[in-house]
């Protein structure tokens, strides 16, 4: 009986370690920051090309860019309307 109890405790400990750990980026601080930064941007697609130095990134809207800047403590600025030349994809959220 004691062996079953010990095995049960070990099993619960292993399962809680595997399934109880927070996923990457879900610490209390990061969740709080995302909650304060994130604005609802809707589904409007008005792409903008933003830049911080030589690096250019396309965003689905200025709202998405604003959320990105807040969450990542960046200061990317709109350099043109539409997607950035050269492809590379568009960040939609």
């Amino acid at each position: 009986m004691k062996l079953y109890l010990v095995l049960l405790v070990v099993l619960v400990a292993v399962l809680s370690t595997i399934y109880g750990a927070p996923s990457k980026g879900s610490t209390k601080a990061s969740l709080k920051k995302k909650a304060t930064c994130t604005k609802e941007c809707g589904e409007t697609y008005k792409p903008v090309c933003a830049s911080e130095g030589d690096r250019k990134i396309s965003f689905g809207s200025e709202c998405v860019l604003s959320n990105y800047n807040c969450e990542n403590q960046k200061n990317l600025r709109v350099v043109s309307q539409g997607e950035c030349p050269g492809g590379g994809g568009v960040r939609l959220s």
Side-chain angles (χ1 to χ4, degrees):
M1 184 65 164
K2 288 182 181 181
L3 179 62
Y4 290 120
L5 184 58
V6 170
L7 289 175
L8 180 63
V9 169
V10 170
L11 179 64
V12 168
V14 169
L15 290 176
S16 66
T17 301
I18 293 171
Y19 296 107
S23 61
K24 183 179 179 185
S26 66
T27 62
K28 285 183 182 181
S30 69
L31 289 174
K32 185 176 181 181
K33 180 172 66 171
K34 284 185 180 182
T36 58
C37 287
T38 305
K39 295 179 276 185
E40 180 59 43
C41 294
E43 304 222 359
T44 303
Y45 183 70
K46 292 177 74 176
V48 294
C49 180
S51 174
E52 184 180 53
D54 291 337
R55 182 174 173 228
K56 292 184 178 178
I57 304 173
S58 297
F59 292 88
S61 68
E62 288 190 46
C63 178
V64 175
L65 169 61
S66 177
N67 285 346
Y68 177 86
N69 278 336
C70 184
E71 290 173 5
N72 295 286
Q73 297 178 346
K74 297 285 185 178
N75 194 26
L76 278 77
R77 300 282 183 202
V78 174
V79 293
S80 65
Q81 297 297 313
E83 296 179 24
C84 299
V90 178
R91 185 176 179 90
L92 299 174
S93 63

